[in-house]
Amino acid sequence: MTSVQSIKRTSIAALESLSGQSDLRTLRLQGGCARTRLQLVLALRHAKRHALRTLLERTTLKQRMDETASYEVRELCETDLEHGFPELLAQLTQTGTLPLSFWRERYRLRQQLPGTYVTLVAVESATKRVTATATLLIEYKFTRSCGQAGHIEDVVVDAAHRRRNLGSRLVRELCARARDQFKCYKVTLDCVEENEAFYAKLGLERKGLQMVRYFPT
Amino acid sequence: MTSVQSIKRTSIAALESLSGQSDLRTLRLQGGCARTRLQLVLALRHAKRHALRTLLERTTLKQRMDETASYEVRELCETDLEHGFPELLAQLTQTGTLPLSFWRERYRLRQQLPGTYVTLVAVESATKRVTATATLLIEYKFTRSCGQAGHIEDVVVDAAHRRRNLGSRLVRELCARARDQFKCYKVTLDCVEENEAFYAKLGLERKGLQMVRYFPT
């Protein structure tokens, strides 16, 4: 891939094709008097800047297209349980050593509670492996005019697929579903302090404390 | 009710009956030589201390019995919706102005999601009014060996019934149910900093931050 560094070293010919400034060569060949040289310098500077911007835009667009093309974001389906979903969750917390049949049972139990769980996954198109996941749990409250609150839970991106905005995409999609599909008045989630900035970028604000009591198993 | 102040003024006769020291009167009547007077003083002191302790124990026990007898703690039932449940929740947050039929509908919707909601209420025995409530939402996870997490939500005690441990009783009961009935590996709740000490007394520890995004309605 053409890097910014390499663009800076691009020849005038390449700059011409990128910038559409077809008179660069003419200017270079003319280069006689001081005024013409100045014109040449200015034209080159302009062409370089234009070419740089064009290439940066193309690169960003390409990256975006790569991201979209390489991963499919959709709801968890039962076959995902055999394509990396348990291994992915194990990167987040303890998952135990239960056989697949228990995972299937849990999947089916959640299916029997309509309008309550949305588990999204980002599946790598090439391998069909689950590379990221996040869950929305809908709470049917009496407060807020018998409103719904969305709880975002178990957000994790596979270590080999990080820094591609997969986490953000999943959380954004869950927020949109909470608001549009389930008419939630809020979404809420608990996180460690280090993740506050990540969620703040997605429109969430620190509100209170999370308190927990673990039971011995 | 007999106060500690009044107990201190209790006559020897009353002290005798409370302390079971039936020789107090004899000692008082005898009161001749210094040694006997000393015996009398010591016996009185002992009797007072004993009586005080007995009365304090009786008072505490009475208070406990009062608390237990005056309020019934049980699961929310549909008729509670007409006995102060909406008004109670309005002391916690916005509840809107929906007619009773919407509250009934929400109650029934939650009934159709088995093993998911436990809303406890403390009902004043004399008036049958709902004076406190707290809800447990069960989340069926894939993590922790397809385990359950309990979310404690919407804890509120009527302003006129506070300082009687109703909130503690409800939260304790929900924790016990989460652990014993639903086999949760944890219970979690979100609260403002000022309530941390209250929940810490009930065995919950600060773990992280609560992040929230509200949607415009």
Side-chain angles (χ1 to χ4, degrees):
Chain A
M1 197 182 72
T2 318
S3 74
V4 171
Q5 204 57 41
S6 72
I7 298 162
K8 283 182 180 165
R9 291 195 298 268
T10 305
S11 71
I12 291 176
L15 279 174
E16 275 175 3
S17 81
L18 276 164
S19 67
Q21 303 253 337
S22 58
D23 54 347
L24 283 185
R25 191 173 303 272
T26 325
L27 281 168
R28 193 168 52 142
L29 295 174
Q30 276 174 350
C33 69
R35 193 174 167 183
T36 317
R37 276 201 300 277
L38 179 65
Q39 275 184 321
L40 174 65
V41 168
L42 289 174
L44 267 170
R45 199 177 287 170
H46 174 77
K48 266 188 181 170
R49 217 179 290 139
H50 181 81
L52 208 60
R53 196 165 52 233
T54 309
L55 252 157
L56 278 172
E57 275 166 10
R58 280 189 198 169
T59 311
T60 315
L61 189 67
K62 193 178 173 305
Q63 272 178 351
R64 280 198 200 131
M65 283 170 68
D66 275 355
E67 275 171 18
T68 312
S70 307
Y71 300 94
E72 184 194 2
V73 170
R74 57 161 172 76
E75 285 192 33
L76 178 77
C77 64
E78 203 171 327
T79 52
D80 293 326
L81 303 178
E82 293 166 78
H83 293 95
F85 184 69
E87 295 79 0
L88 174 65
L89 281 182
Q91 293 184 36
L92 176 70
T93 185
Q94 299 169 43
T95 50
T97 53
L98 292 179
L100 184 60
S101 59
F102 283 82
W103 290 74
R104 284 211 176 109
E105 204 178 296
R106 176 60 30 127
Y107 177 87
R108 289 170 192 170
L109 183 146
R110 285 172 36 154
Q111 295 288 99
Q112 285 159 25
L113 299 166
T116 303
Y117 294 93
V118 177
T119 293
L120 290 183
V121 288
V123 177
E124 194 184 25
S125 305
T127 61
K128 305 291 175 205
R129 297 286 293 178
V130 181
T131 57
T133 184
T135 289
L136 176 69
L137 165 67
I138 303 293
E139 179 193 357
Y140 293 88
K141 285 187 175 281
F142 284 107
T143 57
R144 297 275 183 155
S145 300
C146 296
Q148 287 78 251
H151 298 257
I152 293 178
E153 297 281 335
D154 300 335
V155 181
V156 58
V157 179
D158 185 293
H161 296 262
R162 287 183 191 156
R163 311 197 67 75
R164 295 177 203 193
N165 296 321
L166 291 175
S168 307
R169 277 179 71 190
L170 295 183
V171 174
R172 265 204 198 93
E173 171 79 17
L174 288 183
C175 285
R177 292 222 191 183
R179 185 188 56 213
D180 304 331
Q181 184 180 343
F182 296 101
K183 314 295 176 203
C184 292
Y185 71 90
K186 72 170 179 185
V187 287
T188 178
L189 62 83
D190 298 316
C191 68
V192 292
E193 203 135 345
E194 300 91 79
N195 289 342
E196 184 182 1
F198 170 75
Y199 289 113
K201 272 189 217 157
L202 302 172
L204 288 103
E205 285 178 358
R206 185 199 282 230
K207 196 190 169 197
L209 303 178
Q210 181 202 15
M211 304 286 291
V212 179
R213 180 174 162 191
Y214 286 93
F215 300 120
T217 44
Chain B
M1 197 182 72
T2 317
S3 74
V4 170
Q5 205 54 43
S6 71
I7 298 161
K8 284 183 178 164
R9 292 195 297 268
T10 306
S11 70
I12 291 175
L15 281 173
E16 276 176 1
S17 81
L18 276 164
S19 67
Q21 302 251 337
S22 60
D23 55 347
L24 282 185
R25 191 171 303 271
T26 326
L27 281 167
R28 192 168 51 145
L29 294 174
Q30 275 174 351
C33 68
R35 194 177 167 180
T36 317
R37 276 203 299 279
L38 181 64
Q39 275 183 320
L40 176 63
V41 167
L42 289 174
L44 267 170
R45 199 175 287 168
H46 175 77
K48 266 187 178 167
R49 217 178 289 140
H50 181 81
L52 207 60
R53 197 165 51 235
T54 310
L55 253 158
L56 278 173
E57 276 165 10
R58 279 188 199 169
T59 310
T60 315
L61 190 67
K62 194 176 173 303
Q63 272 177 352
R64 279 197 201 135
M65 284 170 69
D66 276 355
E67 274 171 17
T68 313
S70 304
Y71 300 93
E72 183 194 3
V73 169
R74 57 162 171 75
E75 284 191 35
L76 178 76
C77 64
E78 204 172 325
T79 52
D80 293 326
L81 303 178
E82 293 166 79
H83 292 95
F85 184 70
E87 294 80 358
L88 174 65
L89 280 182
Q91 293 184 37
L92 176 69
T93 185
Q94 299 168 42
T95 51
T97 54
L98 292 179
L100 184 61
S101 59
F102 284 82
W103 290 74
R104 285 211 176 108
E105 204 178 295
R106 176 62 27 130
Y107 177 88
R108 288 169 194 171
L109 182 147
R110 285 170 39 150
Q111 294 289 98
Q112 285 160 24
L113 299 166
T116 303
Y117 294 93
V118 176
T119 293
L120 290 183
V121 287
V123 177
E124 194 183 26
S125 305
T127 61
K128 305 291 175 206
R129 297 286 294 177
V130 181
T131 57
T133 184
T135 289
L136 177 68
L137 165 66
I138 304 293
E139 179 192 356
Y140 293 89
K141 285 185 174 283
F142 283 107
T143 57
R144 296 276 182 153
S145 301
C146 297
Q148 288 77 252
H151 298 257
I152 293 178
E153 296 283 334
D154 300 335
V155 181
V156 56
V157 179
D158 185 293
H161 296 262
R162 287 183 191 156
R163 310 197 67 75
R164 296 176 202 194
N165 295 322
L166 291 175
S168 307
R169 277 178 72 191
L170 295 184
V171 174
R172 267 205 197 91
E173 172 78 18
L174 287 184
C175 286
R177 292 222 191 181
R179 186 188 55 214
D180 305 331
Q181 183 180 344
F182 296 99
K183 313 295 178 204
C184 292
Y185 71 91
K186 72 171 179 185
V187 287
T188 178
L189 61 84
D190 297 317
C191 69
V192 290
E193 203 134 344
E194 300 89 80
N195 289 342
E196 183 181 2
F198 170 76
Y199 289 113
K201 271 189 218 156
L202 301 172
L204 288 105
E205 284 178 359
R206 185 200 281 231
K207 195 189 169 201
L209 302 179
Q210 180 203 14
M211 304 287 290
V212 179
R213 179 174 162 191
Y214 286 93
F215 300 120
T217 46

